[in-house]
């Protein structure tokens, strides 16, 4: 990948496209590239929706190659939700295609004339940006259909729905999947609002005529890829658990641990969670049948295939298999135990272009405020529809849990840096709380990569029985997470590389055979640290202090049943996370 | 149906549809066995789960909602709940895994150690089987018969999509045949029911 496409939306005479070489950004991909560009080029104090912010879309380091699992795509900007730096990543087809087109990043910059909406098309021979106001206030599904009609089904789309156009801070960016459905989202941090502020409704990516990216050492690459795939296939999580149940396999287990945030974080258990568990979801999907029902990949090249397709009771396609975080946010967090209603909420979120976690959390807060009752599935569906319609109430909810709490005077608002907490109560799993509090991203659950920390030996070996272990672990986790984010690999590789050293080696071999580098585990660690440092510095300059590295007060004061625990990690301990 | 004894509901189900019942095992079923055992002893000796399976395949074990690392040390008491899961993805999976490097992150929700257990009389224990463990051990338990609260069963049947009746070939309660579709109305909602599944042969007569 040798070029960066810069689209200056504010150029005199209309948006201008410039293709430039990667230059000093060479060798970076995914989060490493998005965060480096943002840290270097965006003034930390700028308005996130203003002309100085930039939206960076970057495929992973190995995207576009034959490496399995390499098709994640990162989106970076200054977040309108948190006010800090943001990286949010997704699956879908665009990453592999951009990789094949040789595009290391698309950078949207400047600000267009008010009221104009654009379509950006990228193919082997040209990059074109044209106004297209016929797309105004269309949902992501309608946009995808229009693009398919215009360009055929071999292209892929990156788009925003109504929420992004309205610049709501809960807005996501959608990426089409293998079936040309806009089901894969860079959800967190309001990245869709930034795309909306740039006036870009859709980016059509067409890699026709572009070959698969070739590795520096094809022989070694092929061998490493075989070992890599074999390692993923033989592990119980990546080879069996995830393909069979998807991420929602966590519902029963987290609930049993008493760490399943229920009814806006009031309880740690949801009595009827088995109705929405991964086990129930998979059996329902299998019984209803249909193409790709319970086991399906979100992009070509995935060998784990944790996703699936959700058909309604009559066998009609409704949405992709909702993920654990979505099922929790719209389910247990709102007291809703109807899997069909949750799937409908997922569909609406995807169509309007909304982060499912932020929306579920906002509705949970609204329920606590008495707007509707906990458990009212139809009421929740109506509220999400209000967001799509852009009613004043809908705009409040679509701006996230933090704003909803302020508007309705709710004290129990589960946000860090104004971003909603995901599906693990930090009073139940305390170490998770350390990561939520101190992450550069706001409360973030993608510490799934985290388990790699042990393999990488980041920060030395940790004695798990020492109390301070939680701080050390969280630090290691964040470094490792950041490093693997840069490779563009899907987060679910984590277990296989933790348990099987030969699989971790296969991953390093894969990267090295492809890039020609001689990366070791230590280099990966150093990369993770560097990125985190850049992100921390950006946040610091944007006005963040250690006071933002805190969980909301109620976690320290309210005991969470059934284990009746508060969050016990001291502020002074939290302040040690970045002392490495 | 006798008001005192536990009714036995036997369902003859079509091949391949036994898995539809597995989510029920995640809600929990009751097992009555002699007291005085560790978690490992209870699961292996009293419930017939192979020791190697428990050690290798079962990666997370909860006793009363707390993840445990030493199955031989934690004791089972009357009213205990034991939940079993195969390996889980993500950080949560790593944190909850027995003996894992991330156990420190759940320090406050770990089971402290041995508890006292009455020797002698039988204890009632709730067992929950999750994910791949339910797939692998569930059919055996279901064929043997599991004690499930009638209300949970009623709710389970009512939530099934239309056409659920098609998966069953026959049903009987205490040996008396009943209409498969009417099962939810017939079973008592206020006490335990012994549910047993019998796979029908591939060629119904
Ligand atoms: S494992 Fe799941 S999230 Fe990861 S690439 Fe495959 S389908 Fe997508």
């Amino acid at each position: 990948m040798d070029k960066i496409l810069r689209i200056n939306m504010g150029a005199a005479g209309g948006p201008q496209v410039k293709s430039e070489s990667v230059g000093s950004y060479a060798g970076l991909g995914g989060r490493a590239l998005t965060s480096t560009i943002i840290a270097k080029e965006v003034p930390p104090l700028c308005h996130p929706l203003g002309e100085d912010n930039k939206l960076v879309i970057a495929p992973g380091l190995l995207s576009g190659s034959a490496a399995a699992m390499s098709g994640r795509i990162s989106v970076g900007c200054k977040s309108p939700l948190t006010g800090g730096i943001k990286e949010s990543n997704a699956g879908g087809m665009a990453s592999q295609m951009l990789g094949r087109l040789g595009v290391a990043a698309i950078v949207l910059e400047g600000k267009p004339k008010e009221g104009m909406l654009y379509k950006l098309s990228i193919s082997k021979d040209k990059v074109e940006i044209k106004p297209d106001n016929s797309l105004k206030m269309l949902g992501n599904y309608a946009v995808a259909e229009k693009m398919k009609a215009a360009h055929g089904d071999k292209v892929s789309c990156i788009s925003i729905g109504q929420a992004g156009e309205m610049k709501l801070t809960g807005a996501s960016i959608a990426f089409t999947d293998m079936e040309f459905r806009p089901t894969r989202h860079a959800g967190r941090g309001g990245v869709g609002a930034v795309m909306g502020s740039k006036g870009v409704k859709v980016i059509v990516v067409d890699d026709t005529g572009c070959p698969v990216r070739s590795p520096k050492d094809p022989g070694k690459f092929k061998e490493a890829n075989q070992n890599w795939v074999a390692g993923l296939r033989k592990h119980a999580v990546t080879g069996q658990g995830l393909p069979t149940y998807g991420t929602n396999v966590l519902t029963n287990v987290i609930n049993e641990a008493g760490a399943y945030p229920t009814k806006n974080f009031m309880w740690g258990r949801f009595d009827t969670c088995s109705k929405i568990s991964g086990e129930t979801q998979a059996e329902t999907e299998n019984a209803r049948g249909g193409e790709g029902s319970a086991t399906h990949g979100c992009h070509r090249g995935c060998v784990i295939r944790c996703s699936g397709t959700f058909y309604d009771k009559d066998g009609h396609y409704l949405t992709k298999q909702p993920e654990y975080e979505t099922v929790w946010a719209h389910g247990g967090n709102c007291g809703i135990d109807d899997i069909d209603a949750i799937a409908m909420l997922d569909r609406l979120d995807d169509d309007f272009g909304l982060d499912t976690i932020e929306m579920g959390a906002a509705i949970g807060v609204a329920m606590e405020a008495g707007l509707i009752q906990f458990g009212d599935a139809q009421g929740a569906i109506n509220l999400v529809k209000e967001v799509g319609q852009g009613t004043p109430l809908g705009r409040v909810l679509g701006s996230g849990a933090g704003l909803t709490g302020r508007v309705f005077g709710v004290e129990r608002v589960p946000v860090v840096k104004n971003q909603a907490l995901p599906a693990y109560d930090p009073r139940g799993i305390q170490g998770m709380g350390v990561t939520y509090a101190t992450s550069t991203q706001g409360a973030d659950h993608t510490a799934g990569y985290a388990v790699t920390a042990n393999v990488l030996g980041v920060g030395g070996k940790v004695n798990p029985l020492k109390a301070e272990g939680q701080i050390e672990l969280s630090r290691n986790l964040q470094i490792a997470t950041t490093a693997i984010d840069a490779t563009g690999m899907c987060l679910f590789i984590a277990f296989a590389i933790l348990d099987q050293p030969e699989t971790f080696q296969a991953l390093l071999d894969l990267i090295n055979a492809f890039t020609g580098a001689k990366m070791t585990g230590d280099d990966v660690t150093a990369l993770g640290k560097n990125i985190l440092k850049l992100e921390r510095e950006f946040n610091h300059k944007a006005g963040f202090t250690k006071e933002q590295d805190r969980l909301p007060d109620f976690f320290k004061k309210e005991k969470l049943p059934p284990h009746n625990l508060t969050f016990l990690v001291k502020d002074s301990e939290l302040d040690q996370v970045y002392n490495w | 149906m006798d008001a005192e004894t536990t009714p036995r509901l036997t369902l003859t189900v079509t091949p391949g549809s036994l898995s539809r019942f597995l989510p029920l095992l995640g809600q929990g079923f009751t097992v009555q066995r002699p007291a005085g055992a560790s978690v490992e002893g209870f699961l292996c000796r009293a419930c017939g789960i192979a020791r190697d399976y428990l050690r290798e395949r079962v990666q997370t074990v909860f006793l009363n909602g707390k993840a445990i690392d030493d199955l031989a040390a934690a004791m089972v008491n009357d009213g205990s709940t034991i939940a079993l899961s195969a390996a889980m993805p993500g950080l949560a999976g790593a944190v909850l895994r027995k003996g894992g490097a991330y156990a420190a992150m759940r320090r406050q929700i770990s089971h402290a150690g041995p508890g006292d257990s009455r020797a002698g009389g039988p204890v009632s224990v709730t067992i929950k089987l999750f994910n791949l463990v339910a797939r692998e051990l569930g059919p055996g338990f279901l064929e043997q018969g599991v004690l499930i609260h009638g209300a949970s069963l009623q709710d389970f049947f009512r939530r099934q999509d239309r056409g659920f009746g098609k998966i069953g070939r026959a049903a009987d309660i205490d040996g008396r045949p009943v209409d498969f579709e009417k099962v939810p109305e017939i079973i008592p909602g206020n006490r335990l029911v012994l549910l047993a599944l019998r796979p029908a042969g591939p060629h119904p007569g």
Side-chain angles (χ1 to χ4, degrees), chain A residues 274 279 288 464 470 495 499, chain B residues 27 88 97 104 128 131 161:
Chain A
S274 82
E279 290 87 330
R288 290 178 185 176
Q470 303 198 8
F495 248 110
D499 287 343
Chain B
Q27 284 174 250
M88 291 284 104
R97 183 186 220 186
K128 296 181 181 180
N131 48 70
D161 288 349

Side-chain angles (χ1 to χ4, degrees), chain A residues 131-173:
Chain A
D132 188 348
N133 284 341
S134 75
L135 301 172
K136 267 194 177 166
M137 292 308 268
L138 290 185
N140 283 312
Y141 274 88
V143 172
E145 277 309 309
K146 271 193 123 179
M147 295 306 114
K148 187 154 77 172
H151 301 273
D153 62 1
K154 300 284 182 282
V155 302
S156 74
C157 292
I158 305 170
S159 63
I160 52 169
Q162 294 91 333
E165 278 191 63
M166 289 186 272
K167 303 183 206 88
L168 304 182
T169 47
S172 64
I173 295 177

